[in-house]
Amino acid sequence: MNDPKIIVALDYPDAQSALDLVARLEPALCRLKVGKELFVTAGPQLLEKFMQRGFEIFLDLKFNDIPNTTAQACKAAAALGVWMVNVHALGGRKMMEAAREAVANTAHRPKLVAVTVLTSMAQQDLSELGIAATPAELVLRLAKLAYASGLDGVVCSAQEAAMLRQHTGKEFCLVTPGIRPADSDANDQSRIMTPRAALEHGASYLVIGRPITQAVDPLRALQNIAKEIEGLE
Ligand code: C5P
């Protein structure tokens, strides 16, 4: 089965801009990540259009609520036919288990992954919340909790992938943003890794936005990355 490792982040404010980019991509080479801005603007209808064109969707809405509410939201995402959906691991074990159970018996069971610690959170931000752990300690703790709660994986930086791989099974998905081909601009990402290195460190899927979406020729950029990681899949 075709299982493209590249997930293109569609960080666009409106449906048309996203559709224009997607018209230049190929579903055999990538999946698409739709986040809060685009989903709030364009909703399920846009996902339907992408899916009609053969693309699978990572719906990146990072649910975090009481177990029942999160579970129902995940079930609704499954009904849309998305390939992957996510929750915050900070919602806790009961929430993650409820979400897992809610998608378990759906017709198109999506992969359910957890966000551990947002990369925008530094030590001081955690202290302010009353959390004594370092960001790295908390990432490991939350990834283990997601694994123990039966989730399919976590979103993490490629730098964390090798360490998390030691504590989780082979089948556990590590979805990594902060990916930059050697010849591209880091933009606002501070800890970056090349697509090839990320997979070698244990990443399962690579979330890549601007190196593809802002390229003069997005398909060429996508093809180049796909070529770089060929054989690693
Ligand atoms: O354009 P770029 O490749 O930096 O886009 C990366 C995508 O991954 C964006 O949608 C960003 O919000 C997301 N992301 C991230 N870092 C995280 C979690 C998600 O860059 N820790």
Side-chain angles (χ1 to χ4, degrees):
M1 198 200 86
N2 183 34
D3 181 25
K5 303 295 174 199
I6 302 166
I7 304 173
V8 178
L10 299 178
D11 293 316
Y12 289 105
D14 62 273
Q16 198 52 52
S17 315
L19 283 164
D20 290 347
L21 185 273
V22 171
R24 306 174 72 179
L25 303 177
E26 280 179 13
L29 296 180
C30 67
R31 293 177 163 109
L32 307 174
K33 180 172 87 69
V34 174
K36 291 187 175 86
E37 183 184 19
L38 189 55
F39 192 73
V40 168
T41 307
Q45 296 84 349
L46 182 62
L47 301 191
E48 190 56 44
K49 286 184 186 163
F50 294 151
M51 290 188 283
Q52 278 165 4
R53 291 171 193 191
F55 289 94
E56 292 190 310
I57 312 291
F58 170 16
L59 187 59
D60 179 20
L61 298 183
K62 304 185 180 72
F63 297 131
N64 187 3
D65 211 310
I66 59 171
N68 182 60
T69 303
T70 298
Q72 294 306 326
C74 290
K75 202 170 171 182
L80 294 178
V82 304
W83 164 75
M84 178 178 277
V85 62
N86 59 359
V87 298
H88 269 285
L90 277 167
R93 180 192 286 270
K94 279 189 256 170
M95 188 200 78
M96 288 193 277
E97 287 179 348
R100 186 200 66 204
E101 279 163 31
V103 301
N105 297 314
T106 52
H108 300 278
R109 178 175 145 7
K111 285 188 192 296
L112 180 64
V113 301
V115 173
T116 55
V117 182
L118 294 172
T119 42
S120 53
M121 302 289 282
Q123 182 75 68
Q124 202 187 336
D125 301 299
L126 296 183
S127 310
E128 215 166 35
L129 293 175
I131 299 171
T134 65
E137 286 165 354
L138 191 57
V139 165
L140 178 58
R141 189 180 185 105
L142 292 174
K144 282 181 176 171
L145 186 63
Y147 185 56
S149 304
L151 265 63
D152 298 304
V154 290
V155 180
C156 64
S157 83
Q159 271 85 3
E160 293 157 355
M163 181 267 293
L164 294 185
R165 199 39 93 210
Q166 291 172 9
H167 297 273
T168 57
K170 241 179 128 180
E171 72 298 340
F172 198 63
C173 284
L174 302 178
V175 181
T176 61
I179 302 298
R180 288 292 179 273
D183 58 355
S184 75
D185 193 334
N187 308 112
D188 53 0
Q189 297 279 13
S190 54
R191 298 193 303 139
I192 56 176
M193 209 181 264
T194 65
R196 195 180 177 86
L199 289 174
E200 284 170 350
H201 279 73
S204 315
Y205 297 103
L206 313 174
V207 173
I208 308 178
R210 289 160 289 180
I212 294 171
T213 60
Q214 306 293 306
V216 176
D217 184 344
L219 180 59
R220 174 65 64 83
L222 173 61
Q223 287 168 331
N224 287 344
I225 298 170
K227 207 165 185 183
E228 181 189 328
I229 60 176
E230 220 170 49
L232 287 176
E233 312 194 6

